[in-house]
């Protein structure tokens, strides 16, 4: 799974681009682009990979992705079996799409702060349905009216207090400070193979290092050990499966890449500060 730079540049002399994706499935490419991306899920469900985070997505979700933040969307197999087309709105724009200093003015500082938060990937929680209607209505506008409508939407998202960061400082710093093929190759390999047994030796060979040197390199660039990083990816995926409530905990253990239930429970408690069953019950009780 190679990391791709996609061209999301503006066309037709527009300051930002809007698109409704309405086809059988999302583009299954681990990619990034210099534009920020506002995604609104209209009809879909699956798994969203953002940085080092694995997150469930579904209809009604609104997510803002920062510039150059690696991400990928994957539909669930059940979604394909139902024969339904996915539908989502994608808006791409540069941070300075209204000028290099526009968002630095006192009246716009809160929107600039939103852009800075988006570098981690930002999911908006408990978004009112009217917000999605406003975004859909904006797509029908042109020129000045469309620009003002989008600015109003950014304003409302900027003052939204219920948000969730999707990736962490460690990933952002490592990705930003090590823009090389080795880092990309290692991280994409982990994302592609996390749900099976991965050894330190095989990943070290991928990086053309011996295991000891690779361990030092990985900890220096990602601010955590290889085993911890892999465990966090697996537990993130396990949380996503627990939220879907389709499988029992034993099945989720193996689907997430763990080879025994005791290690799964131990790692889950270390990373999530609770057991898998407690995490599942909390979600059930809140819905």
């Amino acid at each position: 799974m190679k990391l791709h730079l996609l061209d999301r540049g503006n066309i037709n002399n527009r300051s930002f681009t809007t698109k409704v994706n309405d086809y059988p499935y999302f583009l299954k490419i681990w990619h990034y682009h210099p534009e920020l991306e506002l995604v609104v899920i209209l009809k879909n469900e699956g798994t969203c990979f953002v940085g080092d985070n694995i997150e469930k997505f579904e209809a009604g979700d609104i997510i803002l992705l920062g510039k150059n933040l690696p991400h990928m969307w994957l539909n669930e197999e059940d979604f394909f079996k139902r024969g339904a087309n996915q539908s989502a709105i994608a808006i791409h724009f540069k941070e300075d799409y209204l000028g290099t200093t526009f968002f630095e003015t006192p009246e716009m500082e809160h929107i600039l702060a939103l852009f800075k938060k988006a570098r981690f990937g930002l999911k908006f929680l408990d978004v009112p349905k009217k917000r999605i209607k406003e975004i859909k209505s904006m797509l029908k506008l042109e020129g000045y009216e469309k620009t003002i409508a989008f600015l109003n939407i950014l304003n409302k998202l900027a003052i939204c207090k219920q948000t969730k960061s999707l990736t962490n400082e460690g990933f952002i710093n490592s990705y930003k400070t090590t823009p090389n093929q080795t880092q990309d190759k290692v991280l994409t390999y982990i994302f592609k193979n996390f749900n099976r047994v991965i050894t330190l030796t095989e990943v070290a060979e991928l990086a053309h290092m011996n295991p000891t040197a690779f361990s030092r390199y990985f900890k220096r660039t990602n601010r955590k050990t290889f085993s911890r990083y892999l465990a966090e990816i697996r537990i993130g995926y396990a949380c996503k499966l627990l939220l879907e409530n389709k499988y029992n905990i034993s099945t989720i253990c193996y689907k997430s890449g763990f080879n025994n239930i005791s290690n799964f429970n131990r790692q889950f408690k270390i990373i999530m500060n609770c057991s898998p069953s407690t995490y599942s019950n909390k979600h059930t009780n809140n819905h």
Side-chain angles (χ1 to χ4, degrees), residues 50 64-66 69 117-123 164-167:
V50 178
L64 180 62
L65 303 172
L69 178 61
K117 291 179 183 177
R119 68 192 184 103
F120 299 103
L122 199 62
K123 184 174 183 179
K164 174 185 177 183
S165 293
L166 299 182
T167 191

Side-chain angles (χ1 to χ4, degrees), residues 154-273:
L154 290 176
N155 173 62
K156 291 176 180 178
L157 292 177
I159 61 179
C160 178
K161 296 182 179 179
Q162 298 295 319
T163 62
K164 174 185 177 183
S165 293
L166 299 182
T167 191
N168 60 64
E169 187 79 38
F171 177 87
I172 296 299
N173 288 339
S174 65
Y175 183 74
K176 180 174 61 177
T177 57
T178 57
N180 58 58
Q181 292 184 351
T182 299
Q183 175 77 341
D184 289 343
K185 187 185 297 184
V186 167
L187 295 183
T188 53
Y189 187 83
I190 292 173
F191 274 106
K192 185 177 181 180
N193 298 283
F194 71 87
N195 55 359
R196 68 166 181 81
V197 175
I198 303 179
T199 65
L200 177 65
T201 300
E202 71 179 280
V203 183
E205 289 177 354
L206 190 71
H208 304 293
M209 300 179 189
N210 64 54
T212 302
F214 176 76
S215 292
R216 290 196 297 266
Y217 161 81
F218 194 92
K219 187 173 183 179
R220 183 177 69 253
T221 56
N222 295 283
R223 303 190 178 186
K224 63 186 69 174
T225 64
F226 169 74
S227 59
R228 172 71 183 203
Y229 189 97
L230 180 58
E232 289 182 0
I233 295 296
R234 287 172 169 168
I235 294 302
Y237 187 69
C239 289
K240 175 254 182 191
L241 294 180
L242 287 168
L243 294 176
E244 291 180 350
N245 199 27
K246 293 180 180 178
Y247 308 102
N248 60 39
I249 291 176
S250 179
T251 300
I252 289 174
C253 162
Y254 295 104
K255 279 184 171 290
S256 301
F258 293 93
N259 54 17
N260 66 77
I261 192 71
S262 60
N263 184 40
F264 171 65
N265 286 330
R266 182 168 60 254
Q267 293 296 331
F268 199 101
K269 288 180 180 179
I270 290 173
I271 294 170
M272 301 303 297
N273 295 315

Side-chain angles (χ1 to χ4, degrees), residues 18-224:
T18 58
K19 183 179 180 182
V20 178
N21 298 318
D22 189 5
Y23 37 77
Y25 51 84
F26 270 129
L27 188 66
K28 297 191 292 182
I29 294 179
W30 177 237
H31 68 281
Y32 68 102
H33 38 72
E35 296 81 13
L36 288 86
E37 179 177 3
L38 180 64
V39 179
V40 182
I41 305 298
L42 301 177
K43 185 178 65 174
N44 209 333
E45 59 186 57
T47 305
C48 178
F49 295 73
V50 178
D52 62 353
N53 180 70
I54 299 174
E55 187 85 7
K56 176 184 177 182
F57 71 84
E58 58 189 4
D61 283 351
I62 298 180
I63 297 174
L64 180 62
L65 303 172
K67 60 183 180 181
N68 296 323
L69 178 61
H71 58 281
M72 179 175 67
W73 308 84
L74 289 181
N75 299 103
E76 296 293 352
E77 291 184 7
D78 291 346
F79 190 82
F80 293 119
K81 292 177 182 178
R82 294 198 295 270
N85 275 19
Q86 63 88 12
S87 182
I89 297 170
I91 302 172
H92 295 92
F93 61 99
K94 293 285 186 66
E95 188 172 299
D96 59 353
Y97 81 100
L98 288 178
T100 56
T101 60
F102 182 83
F103 290 108
E104 294 178 1
T105 58
E107 295 80 4
M108 300 296 164
E109 286 180 345
H110 62 302
I111 297 181
L112 183 60
L114 174 70
F115 296 164
K116 291 180 179 179
K117 291 179 183 177
R119 68 192 184 103
F120 299 103
L122 199 62
K123 184 174 183 179
F124 299 90
L125 309 177
D126 299 323
V127 179
K129 292 182 178 180
K130 65 178 181 179
R131 193 74 63 246
I132 295 178
K133 290 182 179 179
E134 290 170 354
I135 296 173
K136 290 173 69 175
S137 297
M138 181 203 68
L139 302 181
K140 302 175 184 178
L141 303 175
E142 293 293 340
Y144 174 83
E145 287 78 13
K146 189 170 189 175
T147 300
I148 295 301
F150 185 46
L151 192 59
N152 282 330
I153 289 166
L154 290 176
N155 173 62
K156 291 176 180 178
L157 292 177
I159 61 179
C160 178
K161 296 182 179 179
Q162 298 295 319
T163 62
K164 174 185 177 183
S165 293
L166 299 182
T167 191
N168 60 64
E169 187 79 38
F171 177 87
I172 296 299
N173 288 339
S174 65
Y175 183 74
K176 180 174 61 177
T177 57
T178 57
N180 58 58
Q181 292 184 351
T182 299
Q183 175 77 341
D184 289 343
K185 187 185 297 184
V186 167
L187 295 183
T188 53
Y189 187 83
I190 292 173
F191 274 106
K192 185 177 181 180
N193 298 283
F194 71 87
N195 55 359
R196 68 166 181 81
V197 175
I198 303 179
T199 65
L200 177 65
T201 300
E202 71 179 280
V203 183
E205 289 177 354
L206 190 71
H208 304 293
M209 300 179 189
N210 64 54
T212 302
F214 176 76
S215 292
R216 290 196 297 266
Y217 161 81
F218 194 92
K219 187 173 183 179
R220 183 177 69 253
T221 56
N222 295 283
R223 303 190 178 186
K224 63 186 69 174

